[in-house]
Amino acid sequence: MALRAKLADEVASQGIKDARVIEAIRQLPRHLFMPAEIRGRAYEDKALPIGEGQTISQPYTVAYQTQLLSVQPGDKILEVGTGSAYQAAILAVTGARVYTIERQKKLYDRNQRSRFLQQFQGIHYRYGDGFLGWPEEAPFDKILITAAPEEVPASLIGQLRVGGLLVAPVGKQGTQQMVRITKEDDGQLNTASFDYFSFVPMLKGKA
Ligand code: SAH
């Protein structure tokens, strides 16, 4: 518990002001979202390998994206890139209903088998290609992309409700810029750009 509190304080000291996000980091046992071999490092503010060449995002990055989404209790959120489901759980404990998609079958199956994850009632999982979104559940209040596309997929913009927000790291492999797109009431898109990060690429199709 002390380790979680320290991690939450560290993230807050780097400029994350959304109190609900910091509280979620304080609450969630991040080690239980990762394979046993790396649990000893769970409370370092670092991205760590979870298998299949994928990573659990750095807590600061999770907090940064969540803050940009300005999550409100009851929000219906689409997440692309379930990975470890840590980000999905942060959204769920913040009061959102989460629809999360993963393209790697092994990661999807591991999450399905996890008894630990069953406690997060608000998370719905799908094995599929995030470029296609989740049309049956659209429109979404918010969309969060946790792998990097070279451009924001138009299909996902189409699944965002009017007045909704989409947050994504956009760019080529290596470095991407965080963007937040707002779909205005007249349907116009408003893009704001933020800091630079390094995410794994958003890939087409299923694996
Ligand atoms: N949100 C995750 C971060 C995982 S890293 C967490 O909290 O741990 C990004 C994830 O996006 C990887 O698991 C990767 O397999 C997945 N991904 C990449 N392209 C995708 C796509 N087109 N559709 C769905 N998932 C994708």
Side-chain angles (χ1 to χ4, degrees), residues 1-30 41-46 58-64 67 86 90 93:
M1 211 50 188
L3 286 173
R4 281 180 227 172
K6 188 162 164 283
L7 177 62
D9 290 349
E10 249 174 71
V11 170
S13 74
Q14 290 176 79
I16 303 296
K17 299 196 171 61
D18 185 329
R20 279 198 294 249
V21 177
I22 297 300
E23 185 50 35
I25 290 178
R26 206 183 299 278
Q27 273 181 31
L28 282 182
R30 186 171 182 248
R41 302 185 55 199
Y43 296 95
E44 295 175 20
D45 187 19
K46 295 227 167 78
Q58 181 179 348
Y60 172 72
T61 307
V62 170
Y64 192 98
Q67 172 165 284
Y86 180 70
I90 293 275
V93 302

Side-chain angles (χ1 to χ4, degrees), residues 32-33 84 108-120 125:
L32 296 181
F33 292 84
S84 67
Y108 169 82
D109 286 343
R110 189 200 287 167
N111 291 337
Q112 291 295 299
R113 282 196 307 271
S114 162
R115 295 201 47 205
F116 166 69
L117 289 179
Q118 283 172 18
Q119 71 188 283
F120 303 103
Y125 300 88

Side-chain angles (χ1 to χ4, degrees), residues 54-55 57 79 81-82 84 87 102-104 129-130 146 203:
Q54 302 305 326
T55 53
S57 300
E79 182 197 21
T82 314
S84 67
Q87 170 76 71
E102 175 56 56
R103 70 181 288 279
Q104 292 269 1
D129 179 356
T146 71
L203 301 172

